[in-house]
Amino acid sequence: MQRLSKEKLTEWKNSADRKPLIVQGVRQCGKTYLINEFGSENYKNVVYINFEEKDEYRNIFDNDLNPRRIIEDISLVRGVEISPDSTLIFLDEIQLCGRAVTSLKYFFEGAPEYHVIAAGSLLGVAIAEKTSFPVGKVDFLTLRPMNFEEFLLANDKENWVEHIVQGKDYSLLEHQLRELLKKYYVVGGMPACVKAWVETKSLEKVEYMQESILTSYEKDFAKHAPKTDYPKLTAIWHSIPNQLAKENTKFIFSQVKDSWRAKDLTDALEWLLSAGLVHKVKLIETPAFPLDAYSNDSYFKLYLCDVGLLRKLSNVPAGIIFDKSPLYREFKGAMVENFVLTEILKNYNKAYYWRSGNMAEIDFIIQDGMDIVPIEVKADRIAHAQSLTSYRNKYKPAKSLATAMETNDLPLYLLWMLKDWLNPGN
């Protein structure tokens, strides 16, 4: 399946000031597949070292961290000649070997001609736990679950994508795009789930894969997190869909468990954030630069890394997403907000939300260059956009967006075009 991040890997390979590259992202978002595919297309050899597979791989890094000695030992262990220009050295699940993380500094300083990519599902956790990290000596790429554009490509809609990118009239495609977006709400963007859907169109197989992924995440809680945090991690994880469904104005710690407060859950929440499983969207009351300085650490919302996993974790039946049942109406807003956030994060590192007392709320605030952009989200259609109108009247933003299935602005099924829509002609 086509991943748009492959273009960024090509840019890295051809960069004159290339550093070792760290690809991070949640488990099963496609890191290993993408890097191996990129390597096979661009190098004569890919030397693959997975620190989860064999202890002897970790032993290579137990001695000194001289990169040329490390290369010799890897070559010996794998029985492959490693040359600077035609070999990709791929260090997978590198968070399991702290000295391998540290060694990237020495690859940059002492052997920059070698092409080295490292990947890790819980690398953010390892960094947070103060692994000796090569600050300034590595490049980064964050791989996320497949967004809706990639879902379209996986469903053989490349001609649709090209048609839309070229700015042609897509009105005849609107109904089909809406229906495919609803399918995306069900399937989500985890590559194994998308593959199961594309190949079989079997919801049963999709849900089996989603359940498998969710189970693997909870096993990670038990295996890698501090034992005292495990019940808290699980409780927060399962609380997120419930709190989104209630449309809370912020994440409420006491709703995780009556006896727990913020101070009891902070470490567990930071673990989930570092693992990339959860996204934190903080409140701002004054949209001004720098946005983070005006954010409130005590008021925030939590979203999952993937809308399909949110649906499955919430036990929302897939069929109801295609229904107009009032039983789904309340949670629909949470689903759509989670989807919008993951589309925003394709091009923007952070998002916030805005409230003005109890009078108005904007779902997302982002920074686009010199502009602070408010984004109001509705699941079906934009009627009055009262909150956005209130924000516009107060702050006079140069750019703003009201998105829904039916809107005069950018519709939900084209949010993968957000950056281009905000910057026409660039």
Side-chain angles (χ1 to χ4, degrees):
M1 289 183 292
Q2 186 173 340
R3 299 305 305 269
L4 301 175
S5 293
K6 192 183 291 186
E7 296 176 6
K8 295 179 181 178
L9 291 178
T10 302
E11 290 174 8
W12 167 81
K13 178 182 184 294
N14 297 328
S15 173
D17 55 352
R18 183 189 61 251
K19 304 174 184 177
L21 177 67
I22 290 179
V23 179
Q24 54 188 349
V26 296
R27 188 178 296 281
Q28 298 190 50
C29 71
K31 299 182 298 298
T32 301
Y33 177 86
L34 172 65
I35 297 166
N36 275 322
E37 184 179 61
F38 166 76
S40 66
E41 292 174 357
N42 290 274
Y43 297 88
K44 182 179 178 181
N45 297 310
V46 178
V47 177
Y48 180 62
I49 299 290
N50 187 329
F51 291 104
E52 206 166 39
E53 288 180 353
K54 296 180 180 180
D55 288 339
E56 65 180 306
Y57 294 154
R58 301 182 206 181
N59 296 340
I60 293 172
F61 295 83
D62 282 344
N63 299 315
D64 63 77
L65 294 181
N66 184 311
R68 300 191 185 279
R69 194 274 306 163
I70 292 171
I71 290 168
E72 288 178 5
D73 286 359
I74 291 176
S75 179
L76 183 64
V77 168
R78 294 307 309 268
V80 177
E81 181 182 350
I82 299 176
S83 62
D85 296 325
S86 61
T87 303
L88 175 64
I89 302 171
F90 178 14
L91 306 177
D92 204 2
E93 299 298 350
I94 194 173
Q95 79 279 355
L96 298 175
C97 183
R99 285 182 62 80
V101 175
T102 305
S103 76
L104 298 178
K105 169 186 175 181
Y106 300 100
F107 273 98
F108 169 72
E109 293 177 344
E113 69 272 23
Y114 286 90
H115 296 226
V116 182
I117 296 181
S121 301
L122 295 173
L123 187 57
V125 173
I127 295 170
E129 291 174 351
K130 299 182 180 179
T131 293
S132 181
F133 193 76
V135 177
K137 310 295 184 179
V138 295
D139 292 321
F140 281 97
L141 173 63
T142 299
L143 186 66
R144 305 188 189 279
M146 299 171 72
N147 75 336
F148 187 56
E149 180 184 6
E150 291 173 310
F151 185 75
L152 290 173
L153 295 172
N155 282 275
D156 295 325
K157 305 303 181 188
E158 190 168 355
N159 58 327
W160 291 13
V161 171
E162 184 177 350
H163 185 90
I164 292 165
V165 169
Q166 291 175 352
K168 297 179 180 178
D169 180 21
Y170 60 85
S171 56
L172 294 178
L173 300 175
E174 284 182 348
H175 176 73
Q176 294 160 288
L177 285 165
R178 290 172 188 164
E179 293 306 301
L180 267 175
L181 180 55
K182 292 175 185 177
K183 291 184 174 71
Y184 181 80
Y185 291 161
V186 172
V187 176
M190 302 304 289
C193 301
V194 176
K195 186 173 186 288
W197 174 255
V198 169
E199 292 181 351
T200 69
K201 297 297 187 289
S202 168
L203 179 59
E204 183 179 356
K205 291 188 176 180
V206 169
E207 296 218 311
Y208 173 82
M209 293 306 307
Q210 289 172 331
E211 186 63 39
S212 175
I213 292 168
L214 290 171
T215 299
S216 74
Y217 288 170
E218 296 204 30
K219 285 183 177 178
D220 279 342
F221 299 167
K223 183 177 180 181
H224 298 290
K227 290 184 179 179
T228 54
D229 282 347
Y230 173 70
K232 299 174 184 178
L233 284 165
T234 305
I236 293 171
W237 180 246
H238 287 278
S239 171
I240 293 170
N242 298 335
Q243 298 213 29
L244 286 174
K246 294 175 184 176
E247 297 188 351
N248 290 341
T249 57
K250 67 169 185 172
F251 186 82
I252 302 173
F253 284 103
S254 61
Q255 290 187 9
V256 176
K257 189 176 179 179
D258 287 341
S259 60
W260 285 339
R261 296 294 180 264
K263 63 183 178 64
D264 303 311
L265 297 172
T266 298
D267 288 347
L269 175 56
E270 286 303 317
W271 195 97
L272 289 169
L273 293 167
S274 296
L277 295 171
V278 169
H279 299 304
K280 185 178 186 179
V281 177
K282 294 189 288 186
L283 171 72
I284 58 170
E285 293 183 348
T286 303
F289 292 115
L291 283 172
D292 211 50
Y294 291 91
S295 66
N296 189 328
D297 284 331
S298 300
Y299 285 76
F300 57 85
K301 296 183 180 182
L302 296 179
Y303 297 88
L304 294 196
C305 60
D306 178 69
V307 69
L309 295 183
L310 173 66
R311 180 198 65 82
K312 180 61 179 173
L313 189 63
S314 308
N315 289 316
V316 172
I320 207 169
I321 289 176
F322 298 90
D323 193 357
K324 294 185 179 180
S325 168
L327 297 175
Y328 171 56
R329 187 176 302 143
E330 193 166 347
F331 190 64
K332 184 188 290 187
M335 290 274 297
V336 174
E337 279 185 33
N338 208 123
F339 162 74
V340 170
L341 177 62
T342 55
E343 291 293 308
I344 286 172
L345 292 177
K346 172 193 172 188
N347 287 309
Y348 301 93
N349 292 328
K350 283 189 176 182
Y352 305 81
Y353 74 104
W354 172 83
R355 292 190 74 226
S356 177
N358 295 318
M359 300 298 294
E361 179 173 317
I362 298 295
D363 300 287
F364 299 108
I365 301 288
I366 63 171
Q367 179 179 338
D368 181 69
M370 298 290 289
D371 295 300
I372 295 173
V373 183
I375 301 175
E376 185 165 355
V377 178
K378 299 295 181 186
D380 296 314
R381 61 177 58 86
I382 296 290
H384 305 294
Q386 294 177 343
S387 292
L388 188 57
T389 299
S390 174
Y391 183 100
R392 286 167 172 164
N393 290 338
K394 188 170 185 178
Y395 296 108
K396 307 295 190 295
K399 302 173 182 178
S400 60
L401 170 63
T403 185
M405 278 292 196
E406 298 179 27
T407 176
N408 292 325
D409 287 349
L410 191 69
L412 292 167
Y413 49 81
L414 293 186
L415 269 183
W416 49 274
M417 291 284 291
L418 176 60
K419 195 167 189 68
D420 294 321
W421 187 81
L422 290 173
N423 300 279
N426 285 4

